[in-house]
Amino acid sequence: MLELTTLIDGNRERCSISDGVWLIGRGDMCRLRLDFQDVSERHALLTVRNGRAVIEDLHSANGTYVNGEEIDRPVELDGSKVVQIGSSMLRISEADAGTAEPQSEYAEPHPAGWTADAHPEAVPASEPEAPRQEDESPPPDPMREIRRNVQEQIQHELLKRMDMKKLTLQGVDHEGLEDTAREKIRGIIDEVVAKGRLPDGIDPVRLEDDVFNEAMRLGPLEDLLADDTVSEIMVNGASKVYVERGGKLQLSDCQFTDDASVLAVIERIVAPLGRRIDESQPYVDARLADGSRVNAIIPPLALSGPTITIRKFSKKALTPDDFIRFGTWTHNAAEFMRLCVLLRKNVIVAGGTGSGKTTLLNLLSGYIPHDERIVTVEDAAELRLQQPHVVRLEARPPNIEGKGAVTIRDLVRNCLRMRPDRIIVGECRGGEALDMLQAMNTGHDGSLTTVHANSPRDVVSRLETMVMMSGMELPSKAIREQIASAVDVIIHESRLSDGSRKVVAISEVTGIEGNQIVMQEIFAFRQTGVGANGRVLGDFRPTGAMPTWYDQLAGRGIKCDPRMFDPDFEGNVDLEVRR
């Protein structure tokens, strides 16, 4: 057993210290806590094992000194070496049972600035633990901080050994860089293990993955991105990462080293897309390689630190049967929407934020025949169409000089000259709504888009507002006539109180009377109650109304059983399409 002697402000104290890794600093997570301004949050690391003690500086602001000399590498300690951290002195020696100070409930209080966390053995066993207040944060996990410190040191060593710029100039591709980084990291960890310096409880294989993800990929987010139960990831600064599972928010165990690590992850996401984020442009929309949507915002706008929001997309494209299994809609509703797409009806998918509009738009696009030319226009490319003839267009933000921006409206205008059979706009949120309506009214039938709205009726007012944002001074009646002529079907999707996403209404736009657009619901969700577990109960059924264009089906070679629209019919109806 070793003994630790401390000298702080002239007060000397001794205690025994057991094997393990002891983090020294003034942070709350430190086992040996020195609460002084000249001591860093995580100042040094003391490793004790088999009667040997090694001190290592953790790149502290004021340095760690052994016998008056600043150390830049691990130093083994013995009774002749004095460690200076700030204004505090520490010395490690072998414990002498005859000189060890007795501990009792009458022990003298610890010197100012040297907290009880530093001497766990000095706290009387009989002293009751103070009750923790309900709003008090749980105590920090020392092992997590140790793992984080070890990871930081390996990353620092990796930067020394791997010249990224040189490898890039040599023409090494991204996959080659990853292979080289993996090899270097494995070599560093093998050296640490061979020297017996890897703290107990740290798995070398997991450590290798963590360092690799931090250096080459998205760091701690990689595990969450691989977790199929996570639908959304919200990074609120370095220490708080929330996830959404089953429609409910949860605080995850994932943490970043510091704000710089979060910024590095943001840069890795936006750089390949030609986008930027800095103080002059402190927020950005982007996407991951799988199409998952990303929003990032940094200080000074984000007061809690760099913030990332990732809305994950399913690794496999969802099918209508998946939607039926999830309870999003019914078989007959899916067949009706297939009918609308085959008849080249202009469809708008509406709903609130996070209701699943883009996912539903992607599914509807799957009904488009494979012999048609499709042009998609998006702010950040998210749609994943399976057809062979697809042209994808993505908007571009302005450069650092504020020039070169290409908006969705510019792309919608351009795609009209690209001979599209179908135009799919990821989301209408501004003046491009006017161009989209004009495209629908000038022969580009079967177009699809999404709109933020709280109900099918609200879609009309939202479109009207967006048309006014185009700068064209059109009278309200003219705008509504354009909407009534262009839009055929509105699908409204909602995120219910239990976190589930459901199609709650499918409405047909039948025309305009006076100054009012007329609609009729074809399918609707009626909530009947709430289950014991908070799950929303209800039925999604036809209303009994038939679409006004039902008589067109025979001329298009499509046979549809009219019982599809009977609210009392319990069976499933399949379309018969003659090619």
Side-chain angles (χ1 to χ4, degrees):
M1 178 71 70
L2 295 180
E3 183 177 76
L4 172 67
T5 304
T6 61
L7 182 64
I8 305 174
D9 294 336
N11 298 313
R12 185 185 302 273
E13 184 163 334
R14 292 182 297 176
C15 72
S16 59
I17 184 168
S18 59
D19 284 5
V21 180
W22 300 75
L23 186 61
I24 304 175
R26 62 185 175 89
D28 293 336
M29 76 293 295
C30 297
R31 295 178 71 185
L32 300 177
R33 188 167 172 234
L34 300 172
D35 195 10
F36 297 100
Q37 289 301 317
D38 54 358
V39 178
S40 298
E41 289 281 332
R42 299 193 298 273
H43 197 108
L45 198 66
L46 177 65
T47 304
V48 180
R49 184 176 287 111
N50 299 328
R52 297 174 61 238
V54 176
I55 189 77
E56 185 173 0
D57 184 72
L58 297 178
H59 307 290
S60 60
N62 297 320
T64 301
Y65 296 81
V66 175
N67 287 351
E69 295 185 3
E70 186 174 3
I71 62 173
D72 58 1
R73 58 178 57 86
V75 174
E76 186 170 352
L77 303 178
D78 55 35
S80 65
K81 294 178 180 176
V82 177
V83 179
Q84 181 180 351
I85 296 178
S87 57
S88 309
M89 301 289 187
L90 297 84
R91 187 174 66 182
I92 297 288
S93 59
E94 292 192 9
D96 185 349
T99 60
E101 295 178 1
Q103 306 297 333
S104 72
E105 58 182 338
Y106 303 106
E108 293 293 325
H110 299 298
W114 182 252
T115 69
D117 292 339
H119 300 287
E121 294 88 350
V123 180
S126 60
E127 183 178 340
E129 182 181 355
R132 186 160 59 88
Q133 301 297 322
E134 290 185 3
D135 58 348
E136 185 180 345
S137 300
D141 182 2
M143 198 62 207
R144 174 181 292 174
E145 295 302 322
I146 294 167
R147 190 182 300 109
R148 181 182 299 177
N149 282 309
V150 172
Q151 186 173 330
E152 285 179 2
Q153 294 174 65
I154 294 176
Q155 288 168 354
H156 184 71
E157 184 65 24
L158 176 65
L159 291 175
K160 289 182 180 179
R161 300 188 185 188
M162 187 171 174
D163 191 339
M164 297 286 288
K165 184 176 181 180
K166 181 179 179 181
L167 290 171
T168 303
L169 291 175
Q170 291 175 349
V172 179
D173 59 11
H174 183 70
E175 185 176 348
L177 288 175
E178 288 192 346
D179 292 341
T180 303
R182 177 77 75 173
E183 182 181 344
K184 296 284 187 184
I185 294 168
R186 188 175 295 121
I188 295 170
I189 294 177
D190 288 345
E191 291 176 14
V192 173
V193 173
K195 295 177 180 178
R197 290 176 50 201
L198 187 67
D200 294 335
I202 297 182
D203 180 12
V205 176
R206 178 59 190 267
L207 179 62
E208 178 186 327
D209 290 338
D210 290 344
V211 175
F212 176 77
N213 289 334
E214 183 80 22
M216 302 301 296
R217 294 185 177 173
L218 302 185
L221 298 183
E222 286 292 333
D223 288 342
L224 299 180
L225 290 171
D227 188 347
D228 292 336
T229 65
V230 174
S231 57
E232 201 146 357
I233 303 170
M234 292 143 280
V235 180
N236 302 346
S239 59
K240 288 186 178 179
V241 179
Y242 286 86
V243 298
E244 181 188 85
R245 283 190 175 94
K248 302 296 182 182
L249 293 181
Q250 304 171 3
L251 179 63
S252 74
D253 294 332
C254 168
Q255 284 189 349
F256 286 83
T257 304
D258 49 30
D259 286 351
S261 298
V262 185
L263 288 171
V265 166
I266 295 175
E267 189 62 33
R268 279 193 207 107
I269 293 173
V270 303
L273 304 177
R275 306 198 174 195
R276 62 185 180 88
I277 186 166
D278 50 41
E279 288 191 5
S280 62
Q281 181 65 42
Y283 53 87
V284 67
D285 288 317
R287 56 180 166 79
L288 300 181
D290 64 355
S292 296
R293 184 182 307 172
V294 180
N295 174 270
I297 184 167
I298 63 174
L301 300 189
L303 302 182
S304 58
T307 302
I308 309 173
T309 308
I310 301 176
R311 183 168 299 162
K312 289 177 57 181
F313 277 13
S314 175
K315 290 183 173 61
K316 69 179 186 69
L318 296 179
T319 66
D321 290 338
D322 292 326
F323 270 51
I324 295 170
R325 190 174 70 255
F326 298 153
T328 304
W329 61 10
T330 62
H331 174 85
N332 288 346
E335 286 293 280
F336 175 71
M337 289 317 307
R338 178 183 169 214
L339 178 63
C340 292
V341 174
L342 291 176
L343 289 177
R344 302 182 66 86
K345 299 300 178 183
N346 295 320
V347 179
I348 292 182
V349 180
T353 300
S355 59
K357 299 185 297 299
T358 304
T359 303
L360 181 54
L361 181 66
N362 204 67
L363 184 144
L364 293 177
S365 67
Y367 290 137
I368 299 175
H370 282 228
D371 58 353
E372 296 188 15
R373 175 177 170 87
I374 306 169
V375 180
T376 67
V377 178
E378 300 175 83
D379 189 33
E382 299 168 350
L383 296 174
R384 292 180 292 175
L385 277 66
Q386 306 302 314
Q387 289 83 348
H389 198 164
V390 178
V391 179
R392 305 174 70 199
L393 305 180
E394 185 177 51
R396 184 177 70 187
N399 59 21
I400 196 168
E401 297 174 352
K403 301 178 181 179
V406 179
T407 65
I408 290 183
R409 188 175 186 189
D410 296 329
L411 295 177
V412 171
R413 287 174 175 173
N414 185 79
C415 76
L416 298 178
R417 305 180 183 94
M418 298 174 65
R419 199 266 178 209
D421 287 315
R422 308 266 186 163
I423 299 174
I424 302 178
V425 178
E427 181 180 349
C428 282
R429 63 179 72 178
E432 65 272 6
L434 175 60
D435 301 282
M436 187 69 188
L437 291 175
Q438 288 180 327
M440 291 176 174
N441 276 323
T442 55
H444 295 90
D445 297 331
S447 298
L448 307 171
T449 188
T450 69
V451 171
H452 274 82
N454 295 321
S455 67
R457 178 63 58 184
D458 190 40
V459 172
V460 176
S461 58
R462 285 280 296 144
L463 287 173
E464 190 173 351
T465 301
M466 288 188 288
V467 169
M468 292 178 180
M469 292 169 64
S470 68
M472 303 292 290
E473 296 183 1
L474 298 175
S476 177
K477 181 175 177 59
I479 296 174
R480 294 196 173 193
E481 287 175 348
Q482 283 276 319
I483 295 172
S485 175
V487 180
D488 296 310
V489 177
I490 297 175
I491 307 175
H492 184 243
E493 192 170 13
S494 182
R495 184 174 179 177
L496 304 183
S497 58
D498 61 354
S500 62
R501 297 169 173 85
K502 292 183 182 296
V503 174
V504 295
I506 300 177
S507 303
E508 179 196 7
V509 178
T510 58
I512 185 169
E513 293 182 1
N515 201 32
Q516 191 72 23
I517 290 180
V518 181
M519 300 182 188
Q520 66 169 354
E521 280 191 340
I522 307 297
F523 289 85
F525 177 78
R526 300 288 183 257
Q527 183 173 342
T528 58
V530 178
N533 56 356
R535 188 169 184 80
V536 173
L537 304 177
D539 293 317
F540 184 70
R541 307 181 69 84
T543 61
M546 295 186 68
T548 56
W549 36 263
Y550 182 79
D551 56 356
Q552 301 176 9
L553 299 183
R556 297 291 184 91
I558 300 174
K559 184 178 181 182
C560 177
D561 190 332
R563 291 181 299 175
M564 171 187 287
F565 308 105
D566 183 357
D568 297 324
F569 179 64
E570 298 294 338
N572 293 331
V573 173
D574 293 314
L575 298 180
E576 294 182 18
V577 182
R578 293 191 298 273
R579 294 294 182 185

